[in-house]
């Protein structure tokens, strides 16, 4: 898939999706929305990709909606506005429901829809000095399409404060309220992300996919007979799967499971190629 607003690099089973509209602080328009959705759909279905990192070129992660795009939308019909809003909502859902683990690598500012991108990812790591803001109410708007992900990440209490006041806050506060999972100096941000990617490479891709679905479908449900039966069925199914059987056998045999030895072999081969070059 050719993209005009994104740069995509794949190495060692990791895809890094760089937002590359640095001249407008990676603000998104209809093109970037469509490309993000298509890219995460494609990478989510790629068996050679184990994890996806969403990152940004330039001084900011994402400033939200592009001003020219917003100006055009203000002159559109109600039906055209609904269509554009639905495209944004579907893009966020695609990232949130991507079967591969997703990590937001945040530096600079993540405002409005940019915060939605962070919250839609499974994990987020921010540089010390990064800034966040749900700025919509200053413009007479509301953060509607991003709200399921932001509220899911920071809870209703923090969402009430920051959605209503449009206050800016820093990475330390983002960590405190749960928007990001850890913070690091700007020059240590990649190391923090790589540490998590290394942990992911020791896991079963099938189990990770099912664990993502488990969290999404169990969160918020009452613990009743239906949920008990559902979770029992899930563990029974995964135990009987190829990876479930392999993982248990490897543990009992005190050896590494197949997916770890395969990854280590690939990494060793790649390191050898680098040394030859």
């Amino acid at each position: 898939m050719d993209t005009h607003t994104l740069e995509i690099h794949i190495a060692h089973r990791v895809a890094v999706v760089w937002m590359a509209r640095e001249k407008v602080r990676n603000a998104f328009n209809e093109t970037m929305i469509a490309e993000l959705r298509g890219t995460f759909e494609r990478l989510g279905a790629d068996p050679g990709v184990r994890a996806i990192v969403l990152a940004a070129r330039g001084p900011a992660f994402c400033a939200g909606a592009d001003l020219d795009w917003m100006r055009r939308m203000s002159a559109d019909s109600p039906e055209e506005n609904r269509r554009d809003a639905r495209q944004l909502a579907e893009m966020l859902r695609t990232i949130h429901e991507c079967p591969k683990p997703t990590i937001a690598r945040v530096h600079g500012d993540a405002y409005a829809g940019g915060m939605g991108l962070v919250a839609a990812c499974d994990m987020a790591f921010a540089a010390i000095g990064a800034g966040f803001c749900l700025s919509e109410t200053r413009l007479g708007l509301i953060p509607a399409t991003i709200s399921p992900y932001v509220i899911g990440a920071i809870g209703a209490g923090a969402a009430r404060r920051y959605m209503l006041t449009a206050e800016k806050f820093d990475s330390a506060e983002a960590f405190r309220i749960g928007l990001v999972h850890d913070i690091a100096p700007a020059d240590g941000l990649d190391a923090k992300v790589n540490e998590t990617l290394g942990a992911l490479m020791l896991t079963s891709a099938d189990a990770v996919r099912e664990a993502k679905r488990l969290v999404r479908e169990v969160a918020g449900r009452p613990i009743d007979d239906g949920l008990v039966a559902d979770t029992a069925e899930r563990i029974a199914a995964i135990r009987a799967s190829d990876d479930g059987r392999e993982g248990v056998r490897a543990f009992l045999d005190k050896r590494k499971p197949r997916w770890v030895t395969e990854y280590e072999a690939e990494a060793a081969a790649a390191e050898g190629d680098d040394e030859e070059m």
Side-chain angles (χ1 to χ4, degrees):
M1 176 182 177
D2 293 330
T3 57
H4 301 283
T5 67
L6 308 174
E7 298 173 7
I8 302 159
H9 300 280
I10 301 175
H12 307 300
R13 300 191 181 187
V14 175
V16 183
V17 178
W18 293 93
M19 294 181 284
R21 302 190 76 223
E22 56 264 44
K23 290 183 179 179
V24 292
R25 297 168 60 80
N26 295 308
F28 51 73
N29 57 11
E30 64 271 41
T31 301
M32 187 169 172
I33 289 169
E35 291 184 351
L36 280 168
R37 182 181 180 184
T39 295
F40 274 82
E41 286 176 344
R42 178 172 60 84
L43 294 174
D46 187 338
V49 172
R50 284 293 320 275
I52 305 169
V53 177
L54 180 61
R57 300 295 190 194
F61 180 76
C62 176
D66 181 272
L67 293 178
D68 287 337
W69 182 54
M70 291 177 65
R71 188 177 296 111
R72 292 197 304 273
M73 283 195 297
S74 68
D76 284 346
S77 68
E79 184 56 39
E80 289 170 325
N81 262 284
R82 290 190 193 96
R83 184 190 66 241
D84 285 342
R86 186 59 185 263
Q87 292 299 317
L88 174 57
E90 292 292 350
M91 178 268 284
L92 291 165
R93 182 165 72 170
T94 297
I95 295 174
H96 179 66
E97 295 184 356
C98 179
K100 308 295 173 63
T102 55
I103 299 174
R105 177 197 179 278
V106 186
H107 75 285
D109 292 333
Y111 283 8
M115 259 188 70
L117 291 173
V118 176
C121 290
D122 297 312
M123 291 161 270
F125 300 97
I128 294 172
F132 302 85
C133 183
L134 293 165
S135 57
E136 286 86 350
T137 54
R138 292 183 189 173
L139 305 177
L141 305 174
I142 59 173
T145 54
I146 67 173
S147 62
Y149 315 104
V150 172
I151 294 171
I154 69 176
R160 286 190 195 98
R161 173 180 177 178
Y162 289 114
M163 287 185 179
L164 273 57
T165 66
E167 294 173 275
K168 298 177 182 178
F169 57 94
D170 62 14
S171 55
E173 175 68 356
F175 174 66
R176 187 189 73 82
I177 63 178
L179 179 64
V180 302
H181 292 82
D182 209 345
I183 58 178
D187 59 3
L189 186 57
D190 287 332
K192 182 66 66 175
V193 172
N194 288 336
E195 180 182 344
T196 301
L197 289 169
L200 284 168
M201 295 307 157
L202 303 180
T203 64
S204 154
D206 289 347
V208 166
R209 182 187 65 247
E210 291 305 311
K212 281 196 61 167
R213 191 162 68 92
L214 177 69
V215 173
R216 189 170 65 246
E217 296 178 1
V218 169
R221 288 176 58 182
I223 303 175
D224 54 17
D225 290 346
L227 181 59
V228 169
D230 180 19
T231 54
E233 181 62 31
R234 290 172 193 258
I235 188 59
I238 202 74
R239 282 174 179 164
S241 70
D242 290 342
D243 277 14
R245 294 180 188 278
E246 165 64 11
V248 171
R249 281 197 301 265
F251 178 77
L252 295 175
D253 295 343
K254 297 182 179 180
R255 61 175 175 82
K256 296 175 182 179
R258 178 192 65 253
W259 51 85
V260 173
T261 57
E262 289 176 352
Y263 175 73
E264 289 179 341
E266 289 180 15
E271 185 177 338
D273 291 341
D274 291 342
E275 289 177 355
E276 289 178 5
M277 294 174 64

